[in-house]
Each structure stands twice: as C-alpha cells, then as structure tokens.
Amino acid sequence: MSISYQSTRGGEKNLSASMAILKGLADNGGLFMPDAIPELDVPVEKLADMSYQEVAYEVMKLFLTDFTEEELKYCITHAYDSKFDTEEIAPLVKADGAYYLELFHGSTIAFKDMALSILPYLMTTSAKKNHVENEIVILTATSGDTGKAAMAGFADVPGTRIIVFYPKGGVSRIQELQMVTQKGGNTAVVAIHGNFDDAQTGVKKIFGDREFGKKLDEKGFQLSSANSINIGRLVPQVVYYVYAYVKLVKNGEIKNGESINITVPTGNFGNILAAYFAKQMGIPVKTLICASNDNKVLYDFFRTGVYDRNREFILTSSPSMDILISSNLERLIYLSAGCDARKNQSLMAKLSEEGAYEVTDAMREEMGDFIGGYADEKANAEGIKELYDQTGYVIDTHTGVASRVYRDYVKETGDHTPTVIASTASPFKFAHSVMEAIFGDQSGKDEFAIIDELSRVANVPVPAAVEEIRHAQIRHKRECDAETMENMVAEILEL
Ligand SMILES: *Cc1c(COP(=O)(O)O)cnc(C)c1O
C-alpha cells in the first residue's frame, strides 16, 4: 500500500514520503502526517529473530513507500553501523523491575542519534529521487542534543550545509563543547541570546519567510529541517519501540501478545509520539506515560485538556526537555480531531496568538492512551540516587525524570504492567548533575575530573564521544539575538 503525506493544517497533500522529508515543514507551518498509520505485516515471532537493521527495514518500508528496497536498505546499513558502540544498537537493561531501553549508543551519546544518523541518507536519497539540484541547507534549533547529532550526521555530506542554533547558557557544558568543536566545512553553530523556544520560533519564522526562500533559491539553496518535526526523524524512532517489544518476547521477559507500558522523558513530544505510532502499527501497548520536568505543560495538558504555554520557562538539569511548545503534539491533536486540519489549524492559531488552547472532551478521549507525570529537580535527583544505591545502575538526568515518574505512577496506580523506559542520554553527557544527584555538591570541580569519577563509580568506560572533546579545538564562536537569526543565516551562506 502506498502512503502519502499531508499537512496537519490543510493545503498541501498527496506528497510522497521523499518530498515530505525534503520539505520538513509544510508551507503553512503544518507538520506532515501519513494518510494512514500502516500495520506491521511481519509477525512478532519473525521480527524477534531479526537484527536492528532488519527490523528497521520492516518498519520503515511501510511508511516510506516511494523508497525502493535498495535505497532504504542502503540508508539503514550506512546509518546503523559501527558508529554505534554495540551491535544491538538499542540494548535493554533491566533495573529495579523496569526495562531501560538505552538509546544512547550512537556517536553523540543521546537518543537523537537513533534518527539523525539515518536522516542525512534519507534526505540525500530523497533529493536524488526528486532531481533536486539546489544545495540543501539544514536549519536546526536545538535544546542541546539535536544540534550535535544532526551535525555529526550531516558533516561533510556532499550537497548539504547545516546551521545549528542553541540557547546560550541553556545547555550543559559537555553539550556546548560537543557543538562548538564540531568539524566539517559545511557546519555552522550559533549561540542565541534566548531560550530554546526562541530558537525554535526563529527557525520556524525563517521557514515561513517566502521572500527569503526565493532569495535562497536564486543562490542555489533550499531549506530543510532536521528537527523532530521532520517525518524522516519520526519514522526511524518508531523502529526501536517495535524492536524493544520483540526482544522482550524473544528473551522470555513477556509473552507474545502481552501488553507493555512505555515511559518517555518528553520535550518536543517526538519520541513518545513514535511510541504511539508503534502501538498503532500493532505493538500491544497499554499506557504511554509522558514524563515532564518542571516545565510541565504536557502534564497539565493531559490532566486538564488545556495547553497553556503562558508560564515561566524554567532551566533544569534536563535541558533537552526544557520546552514549553511541544511541536509534535500537533500531530496527536490532528489525529484526535479525526484528521480535521481546520480544527487543528484553529487550535494552533490560538496557541500562537494567545499561547493557549483547549481540546474537546471527545479529543481527550481519543488521547486516552496517554497519561502525564512530572518530576521536579529534587525528585529527579533523589530518584537517580535511589536507583544507583539499589542497583548500581547510573542513569542521566532526562532518563531520571522518566524513571521517577514511572515509579510514582506504580505507587499511585498499582499497575505492574511490564514497562519500557526510554533511556535518552548517557549519564556522561550530564555528568555534573548526575554526580551531584548521587554524591552531593560538585561545584568547583573540573568537568572532566567529574567524568573520570563517574566512570569509576558506574564501572563504565568514558565514551569515545566525551574523550573526543577533552582536548578538541573550539571552531565556532558565533552569537546573535533571536530576532536576527535570518540575517545570520544570510551571512553564513554569503547571500
Ligand atoms: C531530545 C531529548 C528528549 C526529548 O525528546 P522529545 O522527542 O523532544 O520529546 C529527552 N531526553 C534527551 C536526552 C533528549 O536529547
């Protein structure tokens, strides 16, 4: 069956997957959605014997129906190779009764690698298929992890450039070092004076500026997005939830057909939406637990039906979740409105004009698979310490939020359904906060001394991604205001 893509805000429809990947965002600011979520056509017993790459093919072929088998397998084998430090790609670790799905074994040690190691291949293949001659310029706003993972994927890929905007002071020291030391002649990094939402809004504005688009086209450029709004990121993320389920069956942890719950530390709502897609494809998932940090817009939304971003933006120790506008939620809104683009469009207009909207009871019922929870800074730190003290397993501050929310959920509900927790970053990426949670104040200590200590207590070698930046040279020093991001793009591309 062939799947086509349409904008969640109406207008554009019947796009092929490759066109949707190339465009990233629809002209009217909408996100691309498949006209149906396909069902898995291979039984669980068969998937259970497959490698990660083979499962990836079985899942992705159903969404990217205009890719040939050869094209898609080429993308998959080049993405999921020795860049990952384990053949399993996404291993499951059982600790304190839950299954931590470690999504941080790629080159930048956060879960963004799961999709961003394949996106450049999907994008360049899409460009070829559609006879695109322009150079593709990837514009990305990052709360810390996307930017580095996107640059690692796109660095020196012919026919592409990549420009990353991150909030100055809003990312961890390691995240910042990872970005500003990025190599590759086609990469640029800019620190903006503002928070992640400012960066994301600025990028969306540039995409929406038709005049600027024309100017770019004249100079042989066209924009695309590596943010999680791109369907080329969402689809590869569905893979690991299918993979996790079939491996739990294979390892005898659950019976085939038995339901699981999934807990995801959430920011832009991309990762948890992928879990929802896996459910729609036929994986037995009962409850999707959406875990937030102090920026608990989503928790409030699932509790009340009101999405309200009018609140203080709080910087936390889980910066990749410091987000008040969860872009991918729009896809769930659209689905729960029965794919009514006008209804979705009017809610999104309210969000941009008033900063808030309310969904109907019928829509809330459609979202009944989701529940929200949150962990504040103290609860998160306590949870990380408790898990370490009980099991010796060290998790990062994002996974910590999910872990704590999950344990609170079990206490409250007594629901002991086997649960997969998405483990979204290596603790080494947030070593300072992690060590502080377990051993108390770390102020005054050198970042790399803390990392070496973490390696000792967790009994895990320092990942190559961290060793790499220990002595690397700083290559990117650009800064700008959120209002002047477009000028910065023009300057970088020498328009
Ligand atoms: C991006 C990120 C998240 C949030 O994922 P979303 O798909 O934006 O909800 C959580 N944890 C880490 C470590 C991340 O990098």
Side-chain angles (χ1 to χ4, degrees):
M1 196 177 69
S2 146
I3 298 271
S4 64
Y5 290 80
Q6 61 220 14
S7 166
T8 50
R9 300 189 191 176
E12 282 164 278
K13 57 182 181 203
N14 293 326
L15 268 76
S16 63
S18 62
M19 277 302 296
I21 289 170
L22 274 177
K23 291 202 72 171
L25 197 65
D27 287 335
N28 57 8
L31 312 189
F32 290 114
M33 274 293 278
D35 51 12
I37 297 179
E39 267 174 52
L40 286 166
D41 58 3
V42 180
V44 167
E45 312 85 74
K46 228 171 142 192
L47 289 166
D49 284 325
M50 291 184 183
S51 67
Y52 189 88
Q53 294 80 354
E54 288 165 336
V55 173
Y57 176 70
E58 294 304 330
V59 172
M60 292 178 65
K61 72 167 196 209
L62 299 171
F63 285 98
L64 311 183
T65 49
D66 70 322
F67 282 63
T68 65
E69 176 172 350
E70 194 190 349
E71 285 167 343
L72 190 52
K73 286 190 169 162
Y74 168 85
C75 295
I76 290 169
T77 49
H78 284 78
Y80 304 111
D81 60 6
S82 58
K83 287 192 282 301
F84 286 78
D85 66 9
T86 160
E87 271 182 28
E88 291 172 276
I89 306 294
L92 283 158
V93 174
K94 192 172 184 179
D96 192 33
Y99 302 96
Y100 287 82
L101 177 61
E102 293 189 348
L103 302 173
F104 55 76
H105 289 272
S107 53
T108 76
I109 57 175
F111 99 96
K112 304 294 195 290
D113 289 326
M114 301 304 296
L116 283 165
S117 52
I118 194 165
L119 186 68
Y121 293 100
L122 296 176
M123 191 126 6
T124 47
T125 304
S126 297
K128 249 189 240 143
K129 294 175 78 65
N130 291 283
H131 313 290
V132 169
E133 313 257 311
N134 281 340
E135 203 167 356
I136 295 169
V137 180
I138 305 292
L139 281 195
T140 291
T142 184
S143 55
D145 289 331
T146 295
K148 175 64 188 184
M151 286 192 290
F154 280 98
D156 292 326
V157 171
T160 71
R161 305 249 203 138
I162 174 160
I163 304 173
V164 168
F165 295 94
Y166 74 94
K168 188 157 180 68
V171 301
S172 84
R173 182 68 189 136
I174 296 296
Q175 286 178 313
E176 182 168 44
L177 276 174
Q178 278 189 314
M179 287 191 278
V180 298
T181 57
Q182 176 65 45
K183 293 188 185 136
N186 63 340
T187 63
V189 180
V190 185
I192 71 144
H193 311 137
N195 60 38
F196 170 71
D197 285 329
D198 298 327
Q200 181 162 255
T201 305
V203 164
K204 280 189 188 162
K205 232 187 240 161
I206 299 173
F207 271 97
D209 185 342
R210 296 264 170 96
E211 278 303 302
F212 191 63
K214 241 190 258 159
K215 202 156 113 192
L216 285 168
D217 189 47
E218 280 161 19
K219 300 276 182 178
F221 295 113
Q222 76 187 59
L223 298 178
S224 191
S225 164
N227 275 100
S228 62
I229 48 178
N230 194 312
I231 198 76
R233 269 189 66 185
L234 193 56
V235 170
Q237 290 178 182
V238 180
V239 173
Y240 47 76
Y241 290 110
V242 174
Y243 180 76
Y245 185 83
V246 303
K247 291 300 161 187
L248 286 176
V249 171
K250 169 140 178 121
N251 298 340
E253 300 287 344
I254 58 171
K255 289 202 262 322
N256 189 0
E258 190 176 345
S259 288
I260 59 167
N261 289 342
I262 299 177
T263 307
V264 183
T266 297
N268 230 349
F269 208 75
N271 200 3
I272 196 165
L273 188 71
Y276 184 63
F277 274 36
K279 175 179 174 145
Q280 303 295 315
M281 294 184 85
I283 295 298
V285 179
K286 198 171 69 129
T287 301
L288 293 151
I289 303 166
C290 174
S292 299
N293 64 20
D294 279 302
N295 297 289
K296 57 184 182 58
V297 195
L298 289 165
Y299 165 76
D300 293 338
F301 172 68
F302 285 118
R303 211 168 43 97
T304 64
V306 176
Y307 192 95
D308 186 358
R309 60 149 302 189
N310 298 309
R311 61 182 78 201
E312 197 189 339
F313 185 99
I314 302 170
L315 289 176
T316 73
S317 59
S318 45
S320 301
M321 297 159 65
D322 289 346
I323 289 173
L324 294 179
I325 304 175
S326 297
S327 298
N328 272 294
L329 184 67
E330 178 169 347
R331 289 189 161 112
L332 182 65
I333 299 288
Y334 172 79
L335 282 176
S336 50
C339 301
D340 183 336
R342 280 182 47 197
K343 213 170 187 178
N344 174 63
Q345 157 83 39
S346 81
L347 293 175
M348 293 307 129
K350 271 205 166 141
L351 179 63
S352 92
E353 283 151 26
E354 297 159 30
Y357 61 83
E358 180 168 11
V359 296
T360 62
D361 287 346
M363 289 173 72
R364 287 186 73 186
E365 212 162 287
E366 287 293 317
M367 300 176 201
D369 293 336
F370 289 85
I371 64 151
Y374 80 100
D376 63 18
E377 290 290 271
K378 186 160 165 280
N380 184 11
E382 280 170 8
I384 291 170
K385 178 171 168 52
E386 210 176 284
L387 187 66
Y388 173 73
D389 287 345
Q390 285 168 0
T391 67
Y393 187 50
V394 181
I395 54 175
D396 95 290
T397 44
H398 301 74
T399 310
V401 169
S403 172
R404 175 62 191 237
V405 164
Y406 167 65
R407 285 195 281 176
D408 288 349
Y409 167 82
V410 173
K411 265 189 220 143
E412 259 168 50
T413 61
D415 178 2
H416 288 280
T417 304
T419 294
V420 168
I421 297 176
S423 181
T424 52
S426 157
F428 287 94
K429 202 155 187 177
F430 302 94
H432 194 112
S433 304
V434 169
M435 289 298 279
E436 211 151 74
I438 302 175
F439 299 105
D441 191 16
Q442 303 284 312
S443 53
K445 284 195 196 164
D446 172 66
E447 192 71 34
F448 286 95
I450 296 174
I451 281 167
D452 290 332
E453 212 169 309
L454 172 58
S455 171
R456 274 192 300 278
V457 303
N459 203 15
V460 175
V462 177
V466 174
E467 282 303 347
E468 240 167 52
I469 53 172
R470 214 185 267 263
H471 306 291
Q473 190 198 344
I474 293 188
R475 299 185 63 246
H476 303 274
K477 291 179 184 161
R478 288 191 174 96
E479 288 186 23
C480 76
D481 291 330
E483 293 73 39
T484 56
M485 285 166 59
E486 191 171 281
N487 297 344
M488 185 51 95
V489 172
E491 186 186 310
I492 291 167
L493 297 176
E494 298 174 3
L495 293 189

